């Protein structure tokens, strides 16, 4: 791999001239010299060192993808298939546009603030942050930014600067709960790590469906599971001991639903005969579990693609419209982990 010095010697020019051509500063360089340098760059396979671009006051071609994991979450954030898939799709679309991804995850929000301030990034995609923290990050960097699955609300006097790509989570919770009620389940327990973020919206949808479609004998209950495996395992045991006839567990994350299928099956329960299990997201494992998981499908690739498209429009000075919330639709996927609708 050639260096700028080697290209300059072969072209018979200074290293400054070669550097100017590489960076598009060619007003004082003749067309013949530009062509000679470009030809040498292609023939010799020169690749600019990304570190120098990041440190320079120019476009770094770097997109920061940041995730704020919960403080009680003990596992690697990429152990959750949702985050692994969406990060993979973001990287795929960013790469095709000639950009690179810098991924950073931290439990302490101040660490994330320091990261986005300290690096010369062209834009930011923030996943699973509160809207308040999204706006704070934008104010710190004043660079293009898009959020995915932002939650919470801003105060009335706070202006909204960060566009969010999310789901119609209320509708997802609604359609799943309506289906479970129609199946005849008498006890529907909505299970989540905690009652916050998009999980809360999914529970609100479940409550709405229970109010509109449930009868007096059908009960809806929220169950907080905890944010780490040890706590969740304790609660799966508690749910098993407290199990009532005609019970279904609606997990607002497929990962937790699949954990529960494994736990209950290992303790001798038959699904869905003894207890129904439903999930949310339709991760790839949902279609190969035993039994296959009834869930709510979201289009993770579309979410990633839209986030990259909206960010690139901002980077290139294009309008993104006034609608600051883009909600993608969801679809009910009925499989064998719940009984057939009556």
């Amino acid at each position: 791999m050639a260096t700028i010095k080697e290209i300059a010697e072969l072209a018979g020019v200074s290293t400054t001239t070669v550097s100017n051509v590489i960076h598009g500063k060619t007003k004082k360089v003749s067309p013949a010299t530009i062509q000679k340098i470009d030809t040498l760059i292609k023939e010799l396979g020169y690749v600019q060192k990304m570190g120098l671009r990041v440190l320079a006051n120019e476009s770094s071609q770097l997109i920061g993808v940041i995730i704020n994991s919960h403080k009680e979450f003990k596992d690697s954030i990429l152990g959750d298939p949702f985050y692994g898939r969406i990060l993979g799709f973001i990287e795929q679309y960013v790469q095709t546009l000639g950009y690179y991804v810098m991924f950073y995850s931290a439990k302490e929000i101040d660490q994330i603030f320091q990261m986005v301030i300290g690096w010369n990034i062209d834009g930011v995609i923030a996943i699973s942050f509160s809207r308040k923290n999204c706006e704070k990050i934008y104010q710190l960097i004043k660079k293009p930014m898009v959020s995915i699955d932002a939650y919470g609300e801003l105060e009335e006097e706070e202006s909204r600067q960060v566009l969010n790509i999310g789901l119609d989570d209320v509708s997802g919770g609604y359609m799943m709960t309506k289906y479970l009620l129609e199946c005849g389940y008498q006890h529907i327990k909505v299970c989540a790590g905690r009652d916050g973020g998009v999980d809360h919206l999914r529970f609100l949808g479940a409550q709405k469906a229970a109010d509109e479609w449930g009868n007096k004998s059908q009960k809806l209950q929220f169950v907080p599971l905890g944010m780490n495996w040890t706590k969740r395992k304790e609660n799966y045991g508690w749910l098993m001991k407290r199990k009532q006839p005609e019970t279904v567990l609606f997990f607002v994350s497929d990962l937790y639903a699949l954990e529960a299928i494994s736990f209950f099956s290992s303790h001798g329960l038959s699904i869905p005969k003894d207890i129904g299990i439903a999930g949310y997201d339709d991760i790839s494992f949902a279609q190969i579990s035993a039994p296959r998981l009834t869930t709510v499908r979201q289009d993770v690739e579309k979410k990633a693609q839209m986030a990259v498209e909206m960010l690139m429009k901002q980077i290139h000075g294009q309008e993104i419209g006034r609608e600051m919330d883009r909600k993608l639709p969801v679809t009910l996927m009925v499989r064998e982990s719940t009984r057939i609708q009556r």
Side-chain angles (χ1 to χ4, degrees), residues 35-104:
Q35 184 175 356
K36 183 188 294 186
I37 292 172
D38 283 340
T39 300
L40 287 169
I41 287 172
K42 292 176 183 177
E43 290 178 352
L44 300 175
Y46 170 77
V47 177
Q48 185 184 7
K49 293 182 178 179
M50 285 302 299
L52 297 177
R53 297 186 66 176
V54 173
L55 294 173
N57 291 322
E58 60 178 277
S59 172
S60 65
Q61 303 297 109
L62 281 176
I63 302 300
V65 178
I66 54 178
I67 300 176
N68 185 203
S69 56
H70 193 272
K71 292 181 180 180
E72 295 181 13
F73 192 78
K74 302 299 183 184
D75 307 312
S76 166
I77 195 70
L78 294 184
D80 187 326
F82 167 76
Y83 289 109
R85 286 193 72 205
I86 199 162
L87 182 61
F89 283 128
I90 289 172
E91 196 278 335
Q92 173 184 313
Y93 283 106
V94 163
Q95 188 182 102
T96 60
L97 297 170
Y99 286 75
Y100 301 85
V101 165
M102 173 184 283
F103 169 66
Y104 189 81

Side-chain angles (χ1 to χ4, degrees), residues 155-191:
E155 301 295 333
E156 290 185 7
E157 66 274 10
E158 294 178 299
S159 62
R160 183 82 177 274
Q161 302 294 329
V162 180
L163 180 145
N164 181 62
I165 309 296
L167 300 176
D168 190 351
D169 286 296
V170 173
S171 291
Y174 181 93
M175 67 175 63
M176 175 60 81
T177 303
K178 180 176 181 291
Y179 160 74
L180 296 174
L181 290 166
E182 291 171 344
C183 285
Y185 285 108
Q186 298 301 300
H187 301 278
I188 300 174
K189 299 184 185 298
V190 180
C191 304

Side-chain angles (χ1 to χ4, degrees), residues 172 174-185 248 250 254 272 276-282 286-289 291-298 330-342:
Y174 181 93
M175 67 175 63
M176 175 60 81
T177 303
K178 180 176 181 291
Y179 160 74
L180 296 174
L181 290 166
E182 291 171 344
C183 285
Y185 285 108
V248 62
F250 172 23
D254 280 351
I277 302 288
Y280 200 115
D281 288 331
D282 199 25
Q287 300 183 50
I288 59 174
S289 63
R292 297 189 311 151
L293 183 64
T294 293
T295 187
V296 177
R297 171 179 290 175
Q298 65 161 303
V330 292
T331 308
L332 178 66
M333 306 300 297
V334 177
R335 301 192 181 106
E336 294 82 19
S337 67
T338 52
R339 64 189 180 201
I340 302 300
Q341 183 174 336
R342 290 180 177 178

Side-chain angles (χ1 to χ4, degrees), residues 300-315:
V300 176
E301 181 175 2
K302 181 65 176 178
K303 184 182 280 187
Q305 180 185 13
M306 184 179 290
V308 172
E309 287 177 352
M310 292 298 102
L311 184 67
M312 289 302 164
K313 281 188 175 183
Q314 294 179 63
I315 289 173

